[in-house]
Amino acid sequence: MITRDWLLADSPTSLLQARLGASYRAGLALLGNPLAAIGLAIVLLLVIMAVFAPWLAPYSPFGQSLGERLQPPSLQHWMGTDELGRDILSRVIYGARITLMIVALVAIISAPIGLIAGAVSAYFGGWTDRIMMGITDVFLSMPKLILALAFVAALGPGIENAIIAIAITAWPAYARIARAETMTFRNSEFIDAVRMQGASPARIIFRHILPLCTSSMIIRVTLDMAGIILTAAGLGFIGLGAQPPLPEWGAMISRGRAFILDQWWVATMPGFAILVVSLGFCFLGDGLRDVLDPKQGAGR
C-alpha cells in the first residue's frame, strides 16, 4: 500500500515519482478497459509464442510426413496437418515470430521517419513544408497494398523486401500526425524560450518537439499493426512476401486454398490467427488512445 500511495500521490516530490505515477495510472486505466485488456493479452500471447516457439511447438514447423498429410484436427495434431504432413499448430506458432518481426521492423523503420519528416516540415514551414507534404500526399493518395505491391515487384519477392515496401508505404500517415502536433506548439512560449537561449533547430526538434509527439505516434503505430499484418499476409498470399518453406501465415493460407472445400483447416487455422492478432492490436490501440490522448482524458 505504501508503494501504491507513493505512486498515486497528488503532489509528487521528484520527477521520477511523477513519471512513475503517470505510468501507473495509465496502466490502471488500460487494464480497466475490458477490450484493451483483451487486446493486451492477445499481444502478450503473440510475444510469448514468438519467444518460446521451440518449446511451445509440439513438432518441427518444417518436418514432413506424407503418411499424415491433410489429417483433420485431433489430439495428436490440434490444428491438423497440411498437404505435406506438417503440423499446422507448430507452423502457426513459429509464424508468430515472422509476424512479430514484420510489425516490429516496419514500426522501427517507418515511425521515426514519419515523425522526423512531419516535425521538420511543420517547424520550418514555407517551401520546406510544401515540398515535404507534397511528397507525403503523393504516397497517401495511393492505396497501401497497391503501393507495396509495386515496390515488392521492383525489389523482388522476399520477406526483407516486403518489410521495406510496407515501411515505405506506412511513414506518410505518421508524418501527417507529427506535422499536426508540431503545428500546435511550434510558436509556444517554451519553444521561443529555448530558441532565445541559442538552441539550434535540430536540438529544438529532437529534444523538445519530438517527445511531445510520442503519445500520438504510439497510438497510431499500435492501431496500424493490424493493417501491417494484413498487408504482409496479402503479400505472402500472392507469393511476394515470405517464401516457402517459411511458416508465414499469409503463405500458409495461399497453400491451403487448394483444399478449402474438403480440408478447411489448412487455410482456416492461419487465417484465424491473423484475425485474432489483428483484433488484439485494434483493441489495444483503442485502449491506448483513451489513456494517452489528453483530449479524451479531459472530457471525463
Side-chain angles (χ1 to χ4, degrees):
M1 289 299 295
I2 297 178
T3 303
R4 186 176 186 275
D5 293 338
W6 182 78
L7 290 171
L8 297 177
D10 294 330
S11 301
T13 58
S14 65
L15 181 61
L16 175 63
Q17 183 181 2
R19 289 179 175 175
L20 291 178
S23 300
Y24 183 72
R25 290 186 178 89
L28 291 178
L30 188 65
L31 294 177
N33 185 330
L35 289 180
I38 293 174
L40 179 61
I42 293 174
V43 173
L44 289 178
L45 178 61
L46 175 69
V47 174
I48 292 173
M49 288 172 56
V51 174
F52 298 102
W55 295 274
L56 295 176
Y59 301 94
S60 168
F62 307 110
Q64 302 180 15
S65 178
L66 296 181
E68 297 181 341
R69 65 187 301 269
L70 299 176
Q71 293 293 313
S74 62
L75 293 177
Q76 185 178 3
H77 301 283
W78 289 6
M79 290 186 177
T81 61
D82 63 9
E83 75 281 4
L84 296 177
R86 297 172 296 192
D87 183 65
I88 295 177
L89 174 60
S90 300
R91 290 179 63 79
V92 168
I93 292 175
Y94 272 90
R97 285 187 162 185
I98 299 176
T99 299
L100 189 63
M101 178 187 69
I102 291 174
V103 296
L105 289 179
V106 170
I108 291 173
I109 296 172
S110 61
I113 293 176
L115 189 62
I116 295 172
V120 170
S121 176
Y123 181 80
F124 289 103
W127 284 105
T128 301
D129 185 39
R130 295 179 184 177
I131 293 173
M132 296 187 70
M133 286 302 102
I135 297 173
T136 302
D137 290 339
V138 170
F139 280 89
L140 289 174
S141 65
M142 292 178 282
K144 287 185 178 181
L145 182 57
I146 301 301
L147 196 59
L149 285 172
F151 281 113
V152 173
L155 296 173
I159 189 169
E160 297 85 359
N161 293 337
I163 292 172
I164 294 173
I166 298 172
I168 292 174
T169 64
W171 71 267
Y174 306 137
R176 274 294 182 183
I177 294 175
R179 179 182 181 273
E181 292 280 346
T182 305
M183 291 287 287
T184 61
F185 48 72
R186 68 174 181 177
N187 295 322
S188 301
E189 293 181 357
F190 77 95
I191 295 294
D192 292 336
V194 174
R195 191 181 294 115
M196 291 177 63
Q197 291 176 357
S200 64
R203 180 180 178 85
I204 294 174
I205 291 173
F206 284 94
R207 293 292 299 274
H208 300 280
I209 293 180
L210 293 186
L212 295 176
C213 303
T214 303
S215 296
S216 299
M217 199 59 55
I218 292 174
I219 297 169
R220 179 67 194 219
V221 168
T222 307
L223 289 172
D224 278 355
M225 291 298 183
I228 293 172
I229 293 172
L230 292 175
T231 302
L235 293 176
F237 182 84
I238 61 177
L240 294 178
Q243 300 297 300
L246 289 177
E248 196 272 326
W249 294 342
M252 291 172 64
I253 295 176
S254 177
R255 296 181 66 88
R257 63 180 173 174
F259 315 99
I260 192 64
L261 295 180
D262 297 320
Q263 290 81 27
W264 53 268
W265 56 88
V266 180
T268 301
M269 297 305 179
F272 183 72
I274 294 174
L275 174 63
V276 171
V277 173
S278 298
L279 285 177
F281 277 112
C282 288
F283 291 158
L284 180 59
D286 286 337
L288 288 175
R289 180 179 57 196
D290 295 340
V291 171
L292 298 179
D293 191 345
K295 296 178 182 178
Q296 294 276 354
R300 295 177 177 173

